[in-house]
Structure formats: C-alpha cells, structure tokens
Amino acid sequence: MPETNRLYFVPLSEIRILRDEINDLFALAKILAPILRINILYMIKRAGSGHIGTSFSSVDLMLWLWLNAMNRPNENIPNSDTFFSSKGHDAPALYAVLTALEKLPFELIHKLRKLGGLPGHPDIHTPFIATNTGSLGMGISKAKGMAIANRLNGNRARIFVLTGDGELQEGQIWESLQGAANRNLSEIKVIVDLNGIQSDTLVSQTNNMSPLCKKFESFGWRGFVCNGHDFENIQECLNQMDKEEDRPQVLFARTRKGHGVPFMERVDDDGLYKFHSGAPSDANYPLALEHLVTKANDELAGISRPELKLAAEEPAVQPPVNTPARETVISAFGKALAELGRREEGLVVLDADLAVDCGLMPFKKEFPARFIECGIAEQDMVSVAGGLARKGKIPVVNSFACFLSARPNEQIYNNATEDSKIIYVGSLAGLCPAGPGHSHQSVRDISALRNTALSIVQPLNGIQARELLLWAAVENSKGSYIRIANTPVPEELANISMGKEIKPGWSTNLIPGHQALILSYGQTITYEAYRAVLSLKESGVEVALDHMNWLNLFDFGWIEKIVGPFPLIIVIEDHYRTGGLGGNLLPAIVEAIQYVPKFAIVGLEEVPACGRNDEVLKYHGLDAGSLIQKIKQLL
C-alpha cells in the first residue's frame, strides 16, 4: 500500500515501455485505461478540484479515438480528423491521454488548474485542443461549422464531438441536428457519454430525454449504441459509422460515472452523486488509488508483465488560508431561502441542475412541490419563471452566474418587459474560484444584466445574503439579480450587517479614511482591498474602504454625503473593468453632484486566467500587494 501522505502517478517512462512493447492495441488500451485513471486521480487531487466522475466515464472513449481511431487528430494539415469535448468537464481525461501519448509535455500533469498549466476546462491555447467549451450545448453547432469549412477547402475529414447525456437537455443541441442532416454532414460523429448522471442526480430524475436514439434519428441522423468501456465494441460501432455516407451519426456510449473505482460509481442513499466535482478526500484518495493499481496489475499479469511502477510527489503546497467564517454565503442563502419559503407560500424555486452548488437542497427537501428542476436548460427555466410570475408566484431562478446572465439574457429581458417580479440568483460569480477557468469565471454578468431593469446586488457574507434575499422578495417591487461568490468569507468580514434598516443605494463603511474612497463588492475582492487599506494605514495613508451591495442602484443622497467629499474615488471590480460597478456609478455621480471627481476603476482587462486563487488574483493585479501599489500611484 503506498504511503498515504504522498500522491502517485504512472511516469512517462513506464507508459513508453508499454506503448513500445505491446503491439496489440486492444491489449494496450485495456492496460492504459486504469493507468490514465491513476494519473487523472493524481492531477485532480494535486489541483484540489476537478471533475473525476465524468473524466473516468469518458477516458476510455478518448483513449481509443486518439490511440487508434482518428487520422492525425487535430493537426493543422488537410484531411486530419478533429476531436473535442463539448461538455468540457472531462478535460483531465483528455490531458491524461495527450500526455501519455506525448502530444503534450508529460510534466503538465503536475500543473492542472495552475497558472501557465492546464486549464480547468478546454482552451485552444493548449496544444491539440480544437475549441473552447462554454455554456453547454455548443459542440455540434461548432462541428457543423468545421465540416462546412473543410468541404469548402476540399476535404471531408471526420469530426468527433463528445457530449454528455445531461448536456442534451440544452436547446442548442436540438437546433443543431436538423441542419447537419439537411447538409448530409456524414463526417460529423457525435459520441454521447451516456453515464446516466448529471451534476449530482440521475438524468432520468432531472429532465428525462429518452428515447434519445429515436429522437436523433427523427432528425435524420443514424444512431448506434455501444459499451463505452469495451474497446472492441467501440471500434465495431466506429467502423459502422464510417460506412454512412449521407448523414451524420451519433454513438450512445453506455458508461458509468466514476468507472474504475466502485465507490465512485454509486449514487448515495440520499439520491446524490458525490464525485461530480471537487478533489477526492484524504480518506478516499488512497482507496481509489488501490482499486486502480490493482486493476492495472491484473491486466499486466494477464499478459505476463511485471507490476506497475509508480512515481510519487508530495502534495502541492497550498497557500495559507485565512480563517474562514463558519458559514459560507451560499449555505446561508440556502437556509434563508427555506425560511422565506415558510413565510411566502407563493415562492417557487427553479434550478438548472445545480441544486447542491447553489445551496438549494434545504428548500428542495422542505418544499418539493415548489421546487422545479429544469435541468441544463437555462432559457427554458427563465421563461418558465416568467410564466409563474404572470400567474402571481415569486420565482427564484438559480444557476451559475456565467450561464444565467448570458444564455437566457433575452428571456430575462422579456420577463422584465412584463414588469415581472423575479429573483435571479447567480452563484459562482466573479474571478474566483479561478480553477475551473474562464468558462466558469463570471466577470461580465453585471454588464450583461445592467439594462434588464433588474436591481443588481451582492452580499459580503452570509448575514447580508439573508438580508438581500428578504429585501428582494419583500421590499423590492421589481426583479432582482443576486450575485453570489462561492469563496470562503474571511472571519474579519463575516459579521458585518447592512443594518436594521436596509438603505438601497448606500454603501457600508469598513475602514474610515479621508484621502480617497475605495468601493468594492463581494468577499474575495473586498478582503484583498481590506488588507491593502489596513497596510496603507500602517504607513500613514488614510484611505476609506466601503463595501457596495448595490451594483447598479445608487441613492443621490449617498453620493452627495458619502462620495462627494472625497477627492479620489477608486472602484475595485470583481468583473471586467468596463460594464461593472464603476461604469454604472460614474454617470450617477455626475448627475447627482454635477461634476466629475477624480475617478479610477481597477478590474480585469483580459480573459480571466485559470489557476489557484492567490496566483490569479496577483496575475490580474487584484491581490492586496498589487492594490497597495495602484492606490499609491493614484494618490
């Protein structure tokens, strides 16, 4: 049994020996499959986050495509096949395959979700990544564009698109099918990772889409079904797919989420799957490793080869964590939502397959009839909320901020034109956590929603999450967008209330000062500003820091009394520099006091980087040290 205080992987030297000496590709694939899972486990555990379940369910499909099935994949030459994952959560599986086959430098397995390493989701700046992922459902449409471009260039190279079965709930998937069939794009080969589990729950219990094969075929596609963990069966189906000359094909690969580790394949007694995202615990890591090493050694013994030799690394050194509050913002919001449900019988909660991540389980358990699981279908969810509101209910619509603000933006605006009172809650808002990468870092949601007649607000901590939810449900007469960052709240900021009487458009002073006023929002950036201002005070620089809950709503009395006296206003954004709090506030200041003070906005000026929170904050100049220098320069 390996030492429990170390992390283990299969080194490239060991993989090279197997690749060089095993000529039977099916035998090689069966041995590489558990080896790749060992390396996926290592990458995710070392990174501290990732998606094990879907990586384990799809890695056999990726391995076989790259090992044998594709012709010069993703190379920029004529007639080379293309592969990409539309779901994207399975990036660690693809990285494990590409490093094992030496398409990527092997040492990158140590840098998953690290600055300058392998992004949490696919990004084209990584070699052999054909396209970025974003909100789910884009893949088949992108494949259509690639196929049409190839034909214009005189070739019909194959395009393999891997999707998830939960992803098929997205409307864009179904929009994409008919056009591909009408154009006879037979070079498009869609493979569905049919593992039956969404983020945390069974697909059949979330938004059942069966019978899938018949539905695809009704659009003019040819459907196939295989065992997604049986390489011979996969190849048989791929051979049949290549015989189709006048229509696109879809392969429904039956897989198991978490395949290879029995306890990662199961849905718990509470109905939830526990290994969709995050890193394995210190207790689960060695157990999973033991299962995979045993499987690899059994395969090696079957062809009379010696047992696997593992390499080990110390766990990655994590930056010191400031003492967090006992309650997170999202858990406080979830409890407050259930409390509000007892008070407001008309409250209805809608979810887009993120009930656990969005803190909705307390409400779901207490009010199942008023909890509507819409699945991965944000546009549908928002319009359902519009219908509920038209019939007198108070809908609370939940998803990650990056998906909720963008994909159903038109539907949100349509609801607003009906004067509907709907509460939208965007979780995972802002730059951090930075590990998932830019597809999940919501740094443009304020600008996307600023002209939809919503009051955009953000709590600093769990106390304020309760206060703002109650305000949105009871006091605000129109729609609201509550922006929630899923990062720990430092203890220093945990007990700050907005006051007994909530005053919309007013800030909360955290640190007094007179040389400049700094406005920030949310716990992540506010804490960096808090540390910076305290440090400046020690050197005699007296700068005030206020937290701003209101991101597009400002009281003129507040501007005259609080903002007006300061010679310099600095807004620190957890957002792109344009379109956030600063862009909304400056015109209001000019209107209220009829002159333009010295005004500066500090925020993101490029696509957010992927990595550890501390290194990404520093990279973008939003850590305390960088803010100290910027404030000094502005003063």
Side-chain angles (χ1 to χ4, degrees):
M1 185 71 181
E3 299 175 38
T4 56
N5 62 340
R6 307 192 79 191
L7 304 182
Y8 292 83
F9 62 95
V10 181
L12 181 59
S13 58
E14 190 81 350
I15 296 172
R16 275 179 179 163
I17 292 171
L18 297 173
R19 284 171 40 211
D20 291 343
E21 297 182 4
I22 300 175
N23 296 320
D24 183 331
L25 287 180
F26 289 113
L28 176 61
K30 290 175 183 177
I31 292 169
L32 287 179
I35 287 174
L36 295 179
R37 287 182 172 86
I38 291 169
N39 286 356
I40 292 167
L41 186 73
Y42 167 83
M43 285 190 284
I44 292 175
K45 178 62 174 172
R46 185 175 179 84
S49 63
H51 294 83
I52 293 179
T54 187
S55 293
F56 279 12
S57 68
S58 62
V59 68
D60 296 335
L61 295 162
M62 294 190 199
L63 170 60
W64 189 251
L65 288 172
W66 285 85
L67 184 66
N68 178 67
M70 293 195 295
N71 173 41
R72 298 174 296 189
N74 290 24
E75 294 182 9
N76 191 24
I77 53 177
N79 298 314
S80 60
D81 291 338
T82 298
F83 168 86
F84 63 90
S85 172
S86 179
K87 56 187 172 117
H89 295 72
D90 47 18
L94 181 55
Y95 298 148
V97 171
L98 294 178
T99 51
L101 299 182
E102 299 185 70
K103 301 288 187 182
L104 288 176
F106 189 80
E107 58 269 19
L108 285 175
I109 71 165
H110 309 302
K111 297 192 68 177
L112 176 66
R113 298 190 169 205
K114 299 293 188 293
L115 193 65
L118 295 170
H121 287 74
D123 184 277
I124 60 165
H125 299 97
T126 306
F128 293 96
I129 301 298
T131 183
N132 293 356
T133 56
S135 185
L136 293 175
M138 300 180 186
I140 300 175
S141 298
K142 286 197 174 183
K144 284 164 60 178
M146 292 176 180
I148 293 168
N150 283 346
R151 288 192 177 192
L152 291 172
N153 292 333
N155 77 75
R156 296 197 177 190
R158 297 174 299 176
I159 301 166
F160 293 88
V161 184
L162 185 64
T163 75
D165 45 3
E167 182 180 9
L168 300 184
Q169 294 161 1
E170 283 285 16
Q172 186 176 351
I173 292 284
W174 303 96
E175 291 182 23
S176 70
L177 298 184
Q178 193 64 65
N182 289 343
R183 288 180 172 271
N184 307 117
L185 298 178
S186 58
E187 55 267 56
I188 295 180
K189 324 283 183 181
V190 171
I191 302 176
V192 180
D193 179 15
L194 202 70
N195 62 41
I197 301 174
Q198 306 210 179
S199 294
D200 311 296
T201 55
L202 296 174
V203 175
S204 60
Q205 295 175 0
T206 304
N207 194 2
N208 193 353
M209 300 295 292
S210 63
L212 284 168
C213 194
K214 289 183 179 179
K215 287 180 178 177
F216 268 73
E217 290 188 333
S218 73
F219 281 89
W221 288 56
R222 175 71 191 279
F224 298 85
V225 180
C226 77
N227 179 342
H229 302 304
D230 183 321
F231 297 107
E232 287 89 348
N233 193 197
I234 294 169
Q235 186 58 48
E236 288 171 8
C237 286
L238 293 175
N239 290 340
Q240 291 298 314
M241 292 167 75
D242 280 339
K243 294 178 182 178
E244 292 289 332
E245 297 181 352
D246 60 355
R247 53 182 169 171
Q249 311 96 53
V250 57
L251 174 60
F252 294 98
R254 298 190 181 278
T255 61
R256 292 186 68 84
K257 200 163 185 175
H259 181 73
V261 178
F263 67 82
M264 290 184 174
E265 297 177 1
R266 296 192 295 265
V267 174
D268 277 6
D269 293 339
D270 61 2
L272 298 177
Y273 179 75
K274 302 298 172 61
F275 296 97
H276 172 69
S277 61
S281 67
D282 290 342
N284 283 331
Y285 173 75
L287 297 176
L289 179 65
E290 185 176 14
H291 279 294
L292 296 172
V293 170
T294 299
K295 175 63 175 174
N297 285 334
D298 287 346
E299 292 290 346
L300 289 167
I303 58 172
S304 303
R305 295 193 64 87
E307 289 190 346
L308 203 60
K309 295 178 182 178
L310 299 177
E313 288 284 341
E314 298 294 331
V317 177
Q318 299 297 330
V321 178
N322 299 299
T323 304
R326 294 180 181 178
E327 187 174 51
T328 64
V329 177
I330 202 66
S331 65
F333 167 78
K335 293 174 185 176
L337 191 61
E339 293 166 4
L340 188 61
R342 299 180 203 120
R343 169 177 167 170
E344 300 286 341
E345 293 185 359
L347 198 76
V348 181
V349 172
L350 297 89
D351 174 52
D353 187 36
L354 291 167
V356 173
D357 289 320
C358 292
L360 307 180
M361 296 307 294
F363 187 96
K364 179 180 179 180
K365 290 176 182 177
E366 191 167 348
F367 306 104
R370 288 193 273 149
F371 179 84
I372 303 173
E373 179 53 75
C374 299
I376 307 171
E378 296 88 356
Q379 292 175 325
D380 174 66
M381 174 175 66
V382 168
S383 289
V384 168
L388 286 163
R390 293 292 297 148
K391 290 296 184 178
K393 301 300 181 184
I394 304 175
V396 183
V397 181
N398 300 267
S399 186
F400 285 166
C402 49
F403 308 142
L404 183 59
S405 62
R407 171 151 282 179
N409 189 275
E410 184 178 358
Q411 286 77 11
I412 291 172
Y413 182 67
N414 178 267
N415 288 344
T417 65
E418 296 174 341
D419 298 323
S420 293
K421 178 172 178 172
I422 299 173
I423 302 170
Y424 302 95
V425 185
S427 301
L428 208 71
L431 178 62
C432 297
H438 55 72
S439 65
H440 285 59
Q441 291 163 287
S442 185
V443 292
R444 61 189 183 95
D445 53 322
I446 300 170
S447 58
L449 295 174
R450 63 192 289 188
N451 292 317
T452 52
L454 297 174
S455 300
I456 303 176
V457 299
Q458 181 161 357
L460 175 63
N461 52 37
I463 293 171
Q464 294 187 6
R466 292 184 175 90
E467 292 169 341
L468 285 172
L469 175 61
L470 187 64
W471 174 83
V474 178
E475 297 182 37
N476 191 20
S477 61
K478 61 178 185 177
S480 306
Y481 172 59
I482 303 176
R483 194 175 193 260
I484 293 180
N486 295 52
T487 51
V489 180
E491 194 171 38
E492 297 95 320
L493 305 179
N495 298 314
I496 299 168
S497 168
M498 296 173 65
K500 292 182 180 180
E501 180 185 350
I502 292 180
K503 299 170 69 176
W506 285 69
S507 60
T508 301
N509 181 251
L510 304 180
I511 301 173
H514 63 272
Q515 292 179 255
L517 172 64
I518 295 176
L519 295 170
S520 63
Y521 51 96
Q523 65 268 28
T524 305
I525 298 301
T526 297
Y527 189 62
E528 296 301 317
Y530 182 85
R531 292 169 56 209
V533 171
L534 287 181
S535 178
L536 287 168
K537 272 193 175 298
E538 291 176 359
S539 61
V541 179
E542 295 290 331
V543 176
L545 173 64
D546 279 27
H547 181 265
M548 196 69 195
N549 295 103
W550 317 94
L551 305 182
N552 69 338
L553 174 63
F554 315 106
D555 187 284
F556 278 19
W558 168 76
I559 294 175
E560 293 169 358
K561 181 178 180 181
I562 305 299
V563 178
F566 283 95
L568 170 64
I569 312 299
I570 304 172
V571 174
I572 304 177
E573 305 275 7
D574 191 10
H575 190 272
Y576 280 123
R577 188 171 174 272
T578 56
L581 169 61
N584 292 331
L585 176 58
L586 183 57
I589 291 175
V590 174
E591 187 176 354
I593 58 179
Q594 297 298 306
Y595 70 89
V596 182
K598 188 175 180 183
F599 192 92
I601 303 173
V602 178
L604 272 76
E605 300 190 32
E606 60 181 293
V607 173
C610 173
R612 281 196 332 241
N613 289 353
D614 61 320
E615 61 186 7
V616 169
L617 285 165
K618 185 174 182 179
Y619 174 83
H620 288 291
L622 292 170
D623 66 306
S626 300
L627 292 177
I628 288 170
Q629 298 305 314
K630 288 183 179 180
I631 293 167
K632 284 181 176 180
Q633 291 170 6
L634 290 167
L635 287 171

